[in-house]
Amino acid sequence: MMPVPSHLRGAVRPRDTAIDEAALDAEVVCDCGSRRFDLLFPGETHEYRGQQIPCTAQINDRFFFLVRAHCTACGRDHLLFDKDFHGWDGFVCHNDAQASLPRPPLIPWKCLLCGKTEHEASVQIQTQGRADFVEGTEGEFDEERWPDGFEWFSMSITCTGCGKHTPEWVSYETM
Ligand SMILES: [Zn+2]
Ligand SMILES: [Zn+2]
């Protein structure tokens, strides 16, 4: 699997340690060892494959999408994804004006079946690989940062209350 992007080091545990350019699949794990989190998002949802999931929020003509994981055991927050900082558009095509806007308030996702906010989560990340990153960035970035220019960020989640599993709770193309 591709290396863990730098902003997620220490927050996720890959399911396989072999390094190549295949998609990353990793469990979200807090420093304290817990896998249980409240998942915070900007509050907007849309229907995807028959189910409501978080989507980009429009606030004063600006667009935001970010997800934080708040550990329910120790209280620590982990920023899992912010479209203005991570992936191809956020990292490679970084827009200082957009990124410097205050982030919108976030709310915890509630299970659609039982209403509980605590979940276990995993992230799936796809890349076009090192060669594509080097060609696309024309030498403006350290080649070793290629995992940070990923092209797709997804999450799957499982409610700790009722076990409801949502395989594509986030599916976000970053370019
Ligand atoms: Zn913790
Ligand atoms: Zn539930």
Side-chain angles (χ1 to χ4, degrees), residues 15 39 46 48-54 109-114 116 119-124 154-160 162-171:
R15 294 186 201 273
L39 300 168
H46 68 166
Y48 178 75
R49 297 187 179 171
Q51 178 158 285
Q52 293 296 315
I53 60 168
W109 176 259
K110 283 187 185 152
C111 174
L112 297 175
L113 283 185
C114 76
K116 193 170 179 184
H119 290 76
E120 293 187 350
S122 63
V123 301
Q124 294 78 38
S154 304
M155 285 182 68
S156 50
I157 64 171
T158 303
C159 172
T160 63
C162 72
K164 178 179 170 59
H165 180 65
T166 307
E168 289 181 282
W169 183 67
V170 170
S171 181

PDB file of all heavy atoms in Angstrom, residues 15 39 46 48-54 109-114 116 119-124 154-160 162-171:
ATOM      1  N   ARG A  15      -3.400  -1.545   7.302  1.00  0.00           N
ATOM      2  CA  ARG A  15      -3.722  -2.966   7.477  1.00  0.00           C
ATOM      3  C   ARG A  15      -2.631  -3.865   6.919  1.00  0.00           C
ATOM      4  O   ARG A  15      -2.649  -5.072   7.142  1.00  0.00           O
ATOM      5  CB  ARG A  15      -5.044  -3.277   6.781  1.00  0.00           C
ATOM      6  CG  ARG A  15      -6.248  -2.586   7.423  1.00  0.00           C
ATOM      7  CD  ARG A  15      -7.530  -3.066   6.764  1.00  0.00           C
ATOM      8  NE  ARG A  15      -8.623  -2.130   6.966  1.00  0.00           N
ATOM      9  CZ  ARG A  15      -9.428  -2.130   8.032  1.00  0.00           C
ATOM     10  NH1 ARG A  15      -9.255  -3.020   8.984  1.00  0.00           N
ATOM     11  NH2 ARG A  15     -10.397  -1.251   8.133  1.00  0.00           N
ATOM     12  N   LEU A  39     -17.043  11.474  15.209  1.00  0.00           N
ATOM     13  CA  LEU A  39     -16.561  11.951  13.915  1.00  0.00           C
ATOM     14  C   LEU A  39     -17.243  13.281  13.607  1.00  0.00           C
ATOM     15  O   LEU A  39     -18.466  13.353  13.487  1.00  0.00           O
ATOM     16  CB  LEU A  39     -16.858  10.908  12.836  1.00  0.00           C
ATOM     17  CG  LEU A  39     -16.178   9.560  13.111  1.00  0.00           C
ATOM     18  CD1 LEU A  39     -16.728   8.484  12.184  1.00  0.00           C
ATOM     19  CD2 LEU A  39     -14.665   9.678  12.960  1.00  0.00           C
ATOM     20  N   HIS A  46     -25.602  14.733   1.859  1.00  0.00           N
ATOM     21  CA  HIS A  46     -26.330  14.474   0.615  1.00  0.00           C
ATOM     22  C   HIS A  46     -26.511  12.966   0.487  1.00  0.00           C
ATOM     23  O   HIS A  46     -25.912  12.194   1.226  1.00  0.00           O
ATOM     24  CB  HIS A  46     -25.613  15.080  -0.601  1.00  0.00           C
ATOM     25  CG  HIS A  46     -24.315  14.435  -0.951  1.00  0.00           C
ATOM     26  ND1 HIS A  46     -23.671  14.643  -2.143  1.00  0.00           N
ATOM     27  CD2 HIS A  46     -23.532  13.557  -0.268  1.00  0.00           C
ATOM     28  CE1 HIS A  46     -22.553  13.942  -2.180  1.00  0.00           C
ATOM     29  NE2 HIS A  46     -22.446  13.282  -1.071  1.00  0.00           N
ATOM     30  N   TYR A  48     -26.044   9.464  -1.187  1.00  0.00           N
ATOM     31  CA  TYR A  48     -25.060   8.777  -2.015  1.00  0.00           C
ATOM     32  C   TYR A  48     -25.368   7.283  -1.938  1.00  0.00           C
ATOM     33  O   TYR A  48     -25.389   6.711  -0.856  1.00  0.00           O
ATOM     34  CB  TYR A  48     -23.652   9.064  -1.488  1.00  0.00           C
ATOM     35  CG  TYR A  48     -22.539   8.379  -2.241  1.00  0.00           C
ATOM     36  CD1 TYR A  48     -22.131   8.830  -3.498  1.00  0.00           C
ATOM     37  CD2 TYR A  48     -21.893   7.278  -1.695  1.00  0.00           C
ATOM     38  CE1 TYR A  48     -21.111   8.200  -4.179  1.00  0.00           C
ATOM     39  CE2 TYR A  48     -20.869   6.642  -2.370  1.00  0.00           C
ATOM     40  CZ  TYR A  48     -20.479   7.112  -3.612  1.00  0.00           C
ATOM     41  OH  TYR A  48     -19.461   6.477  -4.287  1.00  0.00           O
ATOM     42  N   ARG A  49     -25.672   6.685  -3.076  1.00  0.00           N
ATOM     43  CA  ARG A  49     -26.029   5.266  -3.125  1.00  0.00           C
ATOM     44  C   ARG A  49     -27.120   4.932  -2.106  1.00  0.00           C
ATOM     45  O   ARG A  49     -27.024   3.961  -1.345  1.00  0.00           O
ATOM     46  CB  ARG A  49     -24.801   4.385  -2.937  1.00  0.00           C
ATOM     47  CG  ARG A  49     -23.812   4.605  -4.078  1.00  0.00           C
ATOM     48  CD  ARG A  49     -22.649   3.653  -4.070  1.00  0.00           C
ATOM     49  NE  ARG A  49     -21.770   3.927  -5.216  1.00  0.00           N
ATOM     50  CZ  ARG A  49     -20.582   3.382  -5.399  1.00  0.00           C
ATOM     51  NH1 ARG A  49     -20.105   2.525  -4.526  1.00  0.00           N
ATOM     52  NH2 ARG A  49     -19.869   3.690  -6.459  1.00  0.00           N
ATOM     53  N   GLY A  50     -28.129   5.807  -2.054  1.00  0.00           N
ATOM     54  CA  GLY A  50     -29.309   5.528  -1.239  1.00  0.00           C
ATOM     55  C   GLY A  50     -29.190   5.858   0.224  1.00  0.00           C
ATOM     56  O   GLY A  50     -30.074   5.527   1.011  1.00  0.00           O
ATOM     57  N   GLN A  51     -28.103   6.532   0.631  1.00  0.00           N
ATOM     58  CA  GLN A  51     -27.917   6.813   2.049  1.00  0.00           C
ATOM     59  C   GLN A  51     -27.337   8.219   2.246  1.00  0.00           C
ATOM     60  O   GLN A  51     -26.548   8.672   1.418  1.00  0.00           O
ATOM     61  CB  GLN A  51     -26.952   5.775   2.616  1.00  0.00           C
ATOM     62  CG  GLN A  51     -26.623   5.972   4.074  1.00  0.00           C
ATOM     63  CD  GLN A  51     -26.140   4.672   4.686  1.00  0.00           C
ATOM     64  OE1 GLN A  51     -26.890   3.751   4.963  1.00  0.00           O
ATOM     65  NE2 GLN A  51     -24.849   4.602   4.886  1.00  0.00           N
ATOM     66  N   GLN A  52     -27.730   8.905   3.323  1.00  0.00           N
ATOM     67  CA  GLN A  52     -27.160  10.220   3.621  1.00  0.00           C
ATOM     68  C   GLN A  52     -25.716  10.072   4.099  1.00  0.00           C
ATOM     69  O   GLN A  52     -25.419   9.236   4.953  1.00  0.00           O
ATOM     70  CB  GLN A  52     -27.985  10.911   4.710  1.00  0.00           C
ATOM     71  CG  GLN A  52     -29.384  11.292   4.275  1.00  0.00           C
ATOM     72  CD  GLN A  52     -29.390  12.324   3.151  1.00  0.00           C
ATOM     73  OE1 GLN A  52     -28.652  13.306   3.191  1.00  0.00           O
ATOM     74  NE2 GLN A  52     -30.210  12.080   2.132  1.00  0.00           N
ATOM     75  N   ILE A  53     -24.825  10.892   3.549  1.00  0.00           N
ATOM     76  CA  ILE A  53     -23.438  10.950   4.024  1.00  0.00           C
ATOM     77  C   ILE A  53     -23.004  12.421   4.025  1.00  0.00           C
ATOM     78  O   ILE A  53     -23.633  13.263   3.386  1.00  0.00           O
ATOM     79  CB  ILE A  53     -22.458  10.107   3.159  1.00  0.00           C
ATOM     80  CG1 ILE A  53     -22.445  10.605   1.712  1.00  0.00           C
ATOM     81  CG2 ILE A  53     -22.800   8.622   3.241  1.00  0.00           C
ATOM     82  CD1 ILE A  53     -21.306  10.015   0.891  1.00  0.00           C
ATOM     83  N   PRO A  54     -21.915  12.747   4.744  1.00  0.00           N
ATOM     84  CA  PRO A  54     -21.426  14.126   4.762  1.00  0.00           C
ATOM     85  C   PRO A  54     -21.026  14.595   3.371  1.00  0.00           C
ATOM     86  O   PRO A  54     -20.563  13.796   2.545  1.00  0.00           O
ATOM     87  CB  PRO A  54     -20.190  14.057   5.667  1.00  0.00           C
ATOM     88  CG  PRO A  54     -20.414  12.853   6.512  1.00  0.00           C
ATOM     89  CD  PRO A  54     -21.137  11.876   5.629  1.00  0.00           C
ATOM     90  N   TRP A 109     -21.250  13.294  13.829  1.00  0.00           N
ATOM     91  CA  TRP A 109     -22.142  12.439  13.042  1.00  0.00           C
ATOM     92  C   TRP A 109     -22.917  11.531  13.992  1.00  0.00           C
ATOM     93  O   TRP A 109     -22.331  10.938  14.896  1.00  0.00           O
ATOM     94  CB  TRP A 109     -21.326  11.591  12.076  1.00  0.00           C
ATOM     95  CG  TRP A 109     -22.133  10.617  11.292  1.00  0.00           C
ATOM     96  CD1 TRP A 109     -22.265   9.271  11.543  1.00  0.00           C
ATOM     97  CD2 TRP A 109     -22.922  10.872  10.131  1.00  0.00           C
ATOM     98  NE1 TRP A 109     -23.082   8.695  10.603  1.00  0.00           N
ATOM     99  CE2 TRP A 109     -23.498   9.668   9.719  1.00  0.00           C
ATOM    100  CE3 TRP A 109     -23.184  12.039   9.385  1.00  0.00           C
ATOM    101  CZ2 TRP A 109     -24.328   9.556   8.612  1.00  0.00           C
ATOM    102  CZ3 TRP A 109     -24.002  11.933   8.282  1.00  0.00           C
ATOM    103  CH2 TRP A 109     -24.563  10.711   7.911  1.00  0.00           C
ATOM    104  N   LYS A 110     -24.235  11.428  13.750  1.00  0.00           N
ATOM    105  CA  LYS A 110     -25.059  10.523  14.550  1.00  0.00           C
ATOM    106  C   LYS A 110     -25.440   9.320  13.702  1.00  0.00           C
ATOM    107  O   LYS A 110     -25.883   9.483  12.553  1.00  0.00           O
ATOM    108  CB  LYS A 110     -26.342  11.230  14.997  1.00  0.00           C
ATOM    109  CG  LYS A 110     -26.133  12.190  16.132  1.00  0.00           C
ATOM    110  CD  LYS A 110     -27.478  12.721  16.625  1.00  0.00           C
ATOM    111  CE  LYS A 110     -27.253  13.784  17.680  1.00  0.00           C
ATOM    112  NZ  LYS A 110     -28.329  14.747  17.733  1.00  0.00           N
ATOM    113  N   CYS A 111     -25.316   8.133  14.279  1.00  0.00           N
ATOM    114  CA  CYS A 111     -25.698   6.904  13.574  1.00  0.00           C
ATOM    115  C   CYS A 111     -27.130   7.039  13.069  1.00  0.00           C
ATOM    116  O   CYS A 111     -28.029   7.443  13.819  1.00  0.00           O
ATOM    117  CB  CYS A 111     -25.571   5.709  14.513  1.00  0.00           C
ATOM    118  SG  CYS A 111     -26.194   4.175  13.776  1.00  0.00           S
ATOM    119  N   LEU A 112     -27.347   6.672  11.810  1.00  0.00           N
ATOM    120  CA  LEU A 112     -28.680   6.807  11.209  1.00  0.00           C
ATOM    121  C   LEU A 112     -29.669   5.797  11.793  1.00  0.00           C
ATOM    122  O   LEU A 112     -30.873   5.969  11.679  1.00  0.00           O
ATOM    123  CB  LEU A 112     -28.592   6.626   9.686  1.00  0.00           C
ATOM    124  CG  LEU A 112     -27.748   7.682   8.948  1.00  0.00           C
ATOM    125  CD1 LEU A 112     -27.630   7.334   7.475  1.00  0.00           C
ATOM    126  CD2 LEU A 112     -28.331   9.076   9.131  1.00  0.00           C
ATOM    127  N   LEU A 113     -29.156   4.749  12.435  1.00  0.00           N
ATOM    128  CA  LEU A 113     -30.056   3.757  13.036  1.00  0.00           C
ATOM    129  C   LEU A 113     -30.315   4.018  14.514  1.00  0.00           C
ATOM    130  O   LEU A 113     -31.465   4.034  14.951  1.00  0.00           O
ATOM    131  CB  LEU A 113     -29.470   2.345  12.882  1.00  0.00           C
ATOM    132  CG  LEU A 113     -29.585   1.683  11.510  1.00  0.00           C
ATOM    133  CD1 LEU A 113     -29.053   0.253  11.596  1.00  0.00           C
ATOM    134  CD2 LEU A 113     -31.024   1.692  11.020  1.00  0.00           C
ATOM    135  N   CYS A 114     -29.244   4.228  15.299  1.00  0.00           N
ATOM    136  CA  CYS A 114     -29.449   4.288  16.758  1.00  0.00           C
ATOM    137  C   CYS A 114     -29.156   5.662  17.357  1.00  0.00           C
ATOM    138  O   CYS A 114     -29.414   5.892  18.535  1.00  0.00           O
ATOM    139  CB  CYS A 114     -28.599   3.217  17.456  1.00  0.00           C
ATOM    140  SG  CYS A 114     -26.845   3.611  17.560  1.00  0.00           S
ATOM    141  N   LYS A 116     -26.319   7.045  18.101  1.00  0.00           N
ATOM    142  CA  LYS A 116     -25.084   7.177  18.868  1.00  0.00           C
ATOM    143  C   LYS A 116     -24.021   7.892  18.029  1.00  0.00           C
ATOM    144  O   LYS A 116     -23.991   7.756  16.804  1.00  0.00           O
ATOM    145  CB  LYS A 116     -24.589   5.782  19.282  1.00  0.00           C
ATOM    146  CG  LYS A 116     -23.494   5.819  20.334  1.00  0.00           C
ATOM    147  CD  LYS A 116     -23.182   4.436  20.897  1.00  0.00           C
ATOM    148  CE  LYS A 116     -22.060   4.554  21.930  1.00  0.00           C
ATOM    149  NZ  LYS A 116     -21.640   3.243  22.441  1.00  0.00           N
ATOM    150  N   HIS A 119     -18.006   6.020  16.925  1.00  0.00           N
ATOM    151  CA  HIS A 119     -17.783   5.080  15.829  1.00  0.00           C
ATOM    152  C   HIS A 119     -16.328   4.612  15.802  1.00  0.00           C
ATOM    153  O   HIS A 119     -15.439   5.288  16.316  1.00  0.00           O
ATOM    154  CB  HIS A 119     -18.083   5.748  14.479  1.00  0.00           C
ATOM    155  CG  HIS A 119     -19.539   6.018  14.234  1.00  0.00           C
ATOM    156  ND1 HIS A 119     -20.214   7.056  14.854  1.00  0.00           N
ATOM    157  CD2 HIS A 119     -20.446   5.382  13.446  1.00  0.00           C
ATOM    158  CE1 HIS A 119     -21.478   7.049  14.457  1.00  0.00           C
ATOM    159  NE2 HIS A 119     -21.651   6.039  13.598  1.00  0.00           N
ATOM    160  N   GLU A 120     -16.112   3.471  15.145  1.00  0.00           N
ATOM    161  CA  GLU A 120     -14.775   3.095  14.694  1.00  0.00           C
ATOM    162  C   GLU A 120     -14.702   3.468  13.217  1.00  0.00           C
ATOM    163  O   GLU A 120     -15.710   3.420  12.514  1.00  0.00           O
ATOM    164  CB  GLU A 120     -14.530   1.599  14.885  1.00  0.00           C
ATOM    165  CG  GLU A 120     -14.475   1.213  16.360  1.00  0.00           C
ATOM    166  CD  GLU A 120     -14.061  -0.231  16.590  1.00  0.00           C
ATOM    167  OE1 GLU A 120     -13.995  -1.004  15.613  1.00  0.00           O
ATOM    168  OE2 GLU A 120     -13.804  -0.578  17.750  1.00  0.00           O
ATOM    169  N   ALA A 121     -13.499   3.831  12.763  1.00  0.00           N
ATOM    170  CA  ALA A 121     -13.384   4.337  11.389  1.00  0.00           C
ATOM    171  C   ALA A 121     -12.125   3.813  10.726  1.00  0.00           C
ATOM    172  O   ALA A 121     -11.139   3.468  11.389  1.00  0.00           O
ATOM    173  CB  ALA A 121     -13.364   5.866  11.407  1.00  0.00           C
ATOM    174  N   SER A 122     -12.160   3.757   9.402  1.00  0.00           N
ATOM    175  CA  SER A 122     -10.948   3.499   8.636  1.00  0.00           C
ATOM    176  C   SER A 122     -10.920   4.442   7.445  1.00  0.00           C
ATOM    177  O   SER A 122     -11.962   4.972   7.032  1.00  0.00           O
ATOM    178  CB  SER A 122     -10.861   2.034   8.205  1.00  0.00           C
ATOM    179  OG  SER A 122     -11.922   1.710   7.351  1.00  0.00           O
ATOM    180  N   VAL A 123      -9.706   4.684   6.940  1.00  0.00           N
ATOM    181  CA  VAL A 123      -9.537   5.557   5.775  1.00  0.00           C
ATOM    182  C   VAL A 123      -8.998   4.731   4.610  1.00  0.00           C
ATOM    183  O   VAL A 123      -8.231   3.797   4.810  1.00  0.00           O
ATOM    184  CB  VAL A 123      -8.585   6.746   6.068  1.00  0.00           C
ATOM    185  CG1 VAL A 123      -9.124   7.592   7.221  1.00  0.00           C
ATOM    186  CG2 VAL A 123      -7.175   6.270   6.360  1.00  0.00           C
ATOM    187  N   GLN A 124      -9.449   5.093   3.416  1.00  0.00           N
ATOM    188  CA  GLN A 124      -8.936   4.500   2.187  1.00  0.00           C
ATOM    189  C   GLN A 124      -8.466   5.660   1.302  1.00  0.00           C
ATOM    190  O   GLN A 124      -9.215   6.619   1.086  1.00  0.00           O
ATOM    191  CB  GLN A 124     -10.033   3.698   1.451  1.00  0.00           C
ATOM    192  CG  GLN A 124     -10.504   2.453   2.208  1.00  0.00           C
ATOM    193  CD  GLN A 124     -11.464   2.765   3.357  1.00  0.00           C
ATOM    194  OE1 GLN A 124     -12.310   3.647   3.248  1.00  0.00           O
ATOM    195  NE2 GLN A 124     -11.332   2.052   4.469  1.00  0.00           N
ATOM    196  N   SER A 154     -11.326   8.411   1.121  1.00  0.00           N
ATOM    197  CA  SER A 154     -12.588   7.784   1.512  1.00  0.00           C
ATOM    198  C   SER A 154     -12.503   7.337   2.962  1.00  0.00           C
ATOM    199  O   SER A 154     -11.417   7.147   3.509  1.00  0.00           O
ATOM    200  CB  SER A 154     -12.886   6.552   0.648  1.00  0.00           C
ATOM    201  OG  SER A 154     -12.881   6.881  -0.708  1.00  0.00           O
ATOM    202  N   MET A 155     -13.674   7.179   3.572  1.00  0.00           N
ATOM    203  CA  MET A 155     -13.739   6.631   4.934  1.00  0.00           C
ATOM    204  C   MET A 155     -14.876   5.644   5.031  1.00  0.00           C
ATOM    205  O   MET A 155     -15.936   5.846   4.429  1.00  0.00           O
ATOM    206  CB  MET A 155     -14.002   7.750   5.957  1.00  0.00           C
ATOM    207  CG  MET A 155     -12.810   8.626   6.243  1.00  0.00           C
ATOM    208  SD  MET A 155     -13.230   9.871   7.497  1.00  0.00           S
ATOM    209  CE  MET A 155     -13.448   8.825   8.957  1.00  0.00           C
ATOM    210  N   SER A 156     -14.675   4.604   5.818  1.00  0.00           N
ATOM    211  CA  SER A 156     -15.789   3.749   6.205  1.00  0.00           C
ATOM    212  C   SER A 156     -15.871   3.749   7.719  1.00  0.00           C
ATOM    213  O   SER A 156     -14.859   3.896   8.412  1.00  0.00           O
ATOM    214  CB  SER A 156     -15.621   2.328   5.645  1.00  0.00           C
ATOM    215  OG  SER A 156     -14.360   1.830   5.925  1.00  0.00           O
ATOM    216  N   ILE A 157     -17.101   3.630   8.234  1.00  0.00           N
ATOM    217  CA  ILE A 157     -17.306   3.764   9.673  1.00  0.00           C
ATOM    218  C   ILE A 157     -18.247   2.668  10.181  1.00  0.00           C
ATOM    219  O   ILE A 157     -19.080   2.153   9.425  1.00  0.00           O
ATOM    220  CB  ILE A 157     -17.879   5.149  10.047  1.00  0.00           C
ATOM    221  CG1 ILE A 157     -19.280   5.350   9.461  1.00  0.00           C
ATOM    222  CG2 ILE A 157     -16.947   6.260   9.575  1.00  0.00           C
ATOM    223  CD1 ILE A 157     -19.985   6.603   9.988  1.00  0.00           C
ATOM    224  N   THR A 158     -18.082   2.335  11.465  1.00  0.00           N
ATOM    225  CA  THR A 158     -18.954   1.361  12.119  1.00  0.00           C
ATOM    226  C   THR A 158     -19.389   1.920  13.464  1.00  0.00           C
ATOM    227  O   THR A 158     -18.548   2.310  14.291  1.00  0.00           O
ATOM    228  CB  THR A 158     -18.221   0.021  12.336  1.00  0.00           C
ATOM    229  OG1 THR A 158     -17.758  -0.464  11.069  1.00  0.00           O
ATOM    230  CG2 THR A 158     -19.141  -1.019  12.957  1.00  0.00           C
ATOM    231  N   CYS A 159     -20.694   1.985  13.672  1.00  0.00           N
ATOM    232  CA  CYS A 159     -21.254   2.493  14.925  1.00  0.00           C
ATOM    233  C   CYS A 159     -20.908   1.544  16.071  1.00  0.00           C
ATOM    234  O   CYS A 159     -21.076   0.326  15.945  1.00  0.00           O
ATOM    235  CB  CYS A 159     -22.768   2.617  14.763  1.00  0.00           C
ATOM    236  SG  CYS A 159     -23.630   3.020  16.299  1.00  0.00           S
ATOM    237  N   THR A 160     -20.425   2.098  17.204  1.00  0.00           N
ATOM    238  CA  THR A 160     -20.100   1.230  18.338  1.00  0.00           C
ATOM    239  C   THR A 160     -21.358   0.851  19.126  1.00  0.00           C
ATOM    240  O   THR A 160     -21.306  -0.031  19.978  1.00  0.00           O
ATOM    241  CB  THR A 160     -19.113   1.910  19.308  1.00  0.00           C
ATOM    242  OG1 THR A 160     -19.731   3.079  19.862  1.00  0.00           O
ATOM    243  CG2 THR A 160     -17.832   2.303  18.603  1.00  0.00           C
ATOM    244  N   CYS A 162     -24.704   0.105  17.605  1.00  0.00           N
ATOM    245  CA  CYS A 162     -25.541  -0.920  16.973  1.00  0.00           C
ATOM    246  C   CYS A 162     -24.810  -1.708  15.889  1.00  0.00           C
ATOM    247  O   CYS A 162     -25.369  -2.645  15.324  1.00  0.00           O
ATOM    248  CB  CYS A 162     -26.800  -0.287  16.382  1.00  0.00           C
ATOM    249  SG  CYS A 162     -26.482   0.710  14.906  1.00  0.00           S
ATOM    250  N   GLY A 163     -23.561  -1.323  15.590  1.00  0.00           N
ATOM    251  CA  GLY A 163     -22.801  -2.078  14.593  1.00  0.00           C
ATOM    252  C   GLY A 163     -23.090  -1.689  13.153  1.00  0.00           C
ATOM    253  O   GLY A 163     -22.537  -2.290  12.226  1.00  0.00           O
ATOM    254  N   LYS A 164     -23.928  -0.681  12.938  1.00  0.00           N
ATOM    255  CA  LYS A 164     -24.208  -0.275  11.553  1.00  0.00           C
ATOM    256  C   LYS A 164     -22.906   0.112  10.855  1.00  0.00           C
ATOM    257  O   LYS A 164     -22.151   0.953  11.333  1.00  0.00           O
ATOM    258  CB  LYS A 164     -25.183   0.907  11.513  1.00  0.00           C
ATOM    259  CG  LYS A 164     -25.458   1.390  10.075  1.00  0.00           C
ATOM    260  CD  LYS A 164     -26.434   2.548  10.053  1.00  0.00           C
ATOM    261  CE  LYS A 164     -26.533   3.202   8.665  1.00  0.00           C
ATOM    262  NZ  LYS A 164     -26.959   2.279   7.594  1.00  0.00           N
ATOM    263  N   HIS A 165     -22.667  -0.506   9.685  1.00  0.00           N
ATOM    264  CA  HIS A 165     -21.450  -0.254   8.923  1.00  0.00           C
ATOM    265  C   HIS A 165     -21.788   0.572   7.691  1.00  0.00           C
ATOM    266  O   HIS A 165     -22.713   0.231   6.954  1.00  0.00           O
ATOM    267  CB  HIS A 165     -20.805  -1.586   8.522  1.00  0.00           C
ATOM    268  CG  HIS A 165     -19.536  -1.412   7.739  1.00  0.00           C
ATOM    269  ND1 HIS A 165     -18.416  -0.842   8.282  1.00  0.00           N
ATOM    270  CD2 HIS A 165     -19.229  -1.730   6.464  1.00  0.00           C
ATOM    271  CE1 HIS A 165     -17.456  -0.821   7.362  1.00  0.00           C
ATOM    272  NE2 HIS A 165     -17.921  -1.343   6.249  1.00  0.00           N
ATOM    273  N   THR A 166     -21.065   1.661   7.493  1.00  0.00           N
ATOM    274  CA  THR A 166     -21.258   2.504   6.310  1.00  0.00           C
ATOM    275  C   THR A 166     -19.959   2.490   5.524  1.00  0.00           C
ATOM    276  O   THR A 166     -18.973   3.117   5.922  1.00  0.00           O
ATOM    277  CB  THR A 166     -21.615   3.949   6.722  1.00  0.00           C
ATOM    278  OG1 THR A 166     -22.735   3.911   7.617  1.00  0.00           O
ATOM    279  CG2 THR A 166     -21.967   4.796   5.508  1.00  0.00           C
ATOM    280  N   PRO A 167     -19.925   1.736   4.401  1.00  0.00           N
ATOM    281  CA  PRO A 167     -18.655   1.522   3.711  1.00  0.00           C
ATOM    282  C   PRO A 167     -18.087   2.776   3.045  1.00  0.00           C
ATOM    283  O   PRO A 167     -16.879   2.942   2.989  1.00  0.00           O
ATOM    284  CB  PRO A 167     -18.964   0.446   2.673  1.00  0.00           C
ATOM    285  CG  PRO A 167     -20.439   0.382   2.569  1.00  0.00           C
ATOM    286  CD  PRO A 167     -21.017   0.928   3.844  1.00  0.00           C
ATOM    287  N   GLU A 168     -18.901   3.668   2.517  1.00  0.00           N
ATOM    288  CA  GLU A 168     -18.371   4.879   1.880  1.00  0.00           C
ATOM    289  C   GLU A 168     -18.993   6.105   2.540  1.00  0.00           C
ATOM    290  O   GLU A 168     -19.724   6.853   1.917  1.00  0.00           O
ATOM    291  CB  GLU A 168     -18.644   4.867   0.384  1.00  0.00           C
ATOM    292  CG  GLU A 168     -17.788   3.845  -0.352  1.00  0.00           C
ATOM    293  CD  GLU A 168     -18.057   3.871  -1.848  1.00  0.00           C
ATOM    294  OE1 GLU A 168     -19.069   3.310  -2.269  1.00  0.00           O
ATOM    295  OE2 GLU A 168     -17.255   4.458  -2.575  1.00  0.00           O
ATOM    296  N   TRP A 169     -18.663   6.289   3.804  1.00  0.00           N
ATOM    297  CA  TRP A 169     -19.201   7.426   4.563  1.00  0.00           C
ATOM    298  C   TRP A 169     -18.640   8.741   4.016  1.00  0.00           C
ATOM    299  O   TRP A 169     -19.299   9.766   4.007  1.00  0.00           O
ATOM    300  CB  TRP A 169     -18.848   7.251   6.034  1.00  0.00           C
ATOM    301  CG  TRP A 169     -19.408   8.298   6.924  1.00  0.00           C
ATOM    302  CD1 TRP A 169     -20.732   8.507   7.211  1.00  0.00           C
ATOM    303  CD2 TRP A 169     -18.678   9.292   7.649  1.00  0.00           C
ATOM    304  NE1 TRP A 169     -20.853   9.573   8.071  1.00  0.00           N
ATOM    305  CE2 TRP A 169     -19.619  10.068   8.358  1.00  0.00           C
ATOM    306  CE3 TRP A 169     -17.314   9.585   7.785  1.00  0.00           C
ATOM    307  CZ2 TRP A 169     -19.235  11.131   9.186  1.00  0.00           C
ATOM    308  CZ3 TRP A 169     -16.933  10.634   8.605  1.00  0.00           C
ATOM    309  CH2 TRP A 169     -17.893  11.400   9.292  1.00  0.00           C
ATOM    310  N   VAL A 170     -17.374   8.684   3.580  1.00  0.00           N
ATOM    311  CA  VAL A 170     -16.788   9.784   2.811  1.00  0.00           C
ATOM    312  C   VAL A 170     -16.229   9.195   1.527  1.00  0.00           C
ATOM    313  O   VAL A 170     -15.643   8.110   1.550  1.00  0.00           O
ATOM    314  CB  VAL A 170     -15.619  10.465   3.582  1.00  0.00           C
ATOM    315  CG1 VAL A 170     -14.863  11.434   2.676  1.00  0.00           C
ATOM    316  CG2 VAL A 170     -16.137  11.186   4.812  1.00  0.00           C
ATOM    317  N   SER A 171     -16.454   9.888   0.413  1.00  0.00           N
ATOM    318  CA  SER A 171     -15.825   9.512  -0.852  1.00  0.00           C
ATOM    319  C   SER A 171     -15.527  10.823  -1.569  1.00  0.00           C
ATOM    320  O   SER A 171     -16.419  11.450  -2.145  1.00  0.00           O
ATOM    321  CB  SER A 171     -16.774   8.638  -1.671  1.00  0.00           C
ATOM    322  OG  SER A 171     -16.150   8.265  -2.889  1.00  0.00           O
TER     323      SER A 171
END
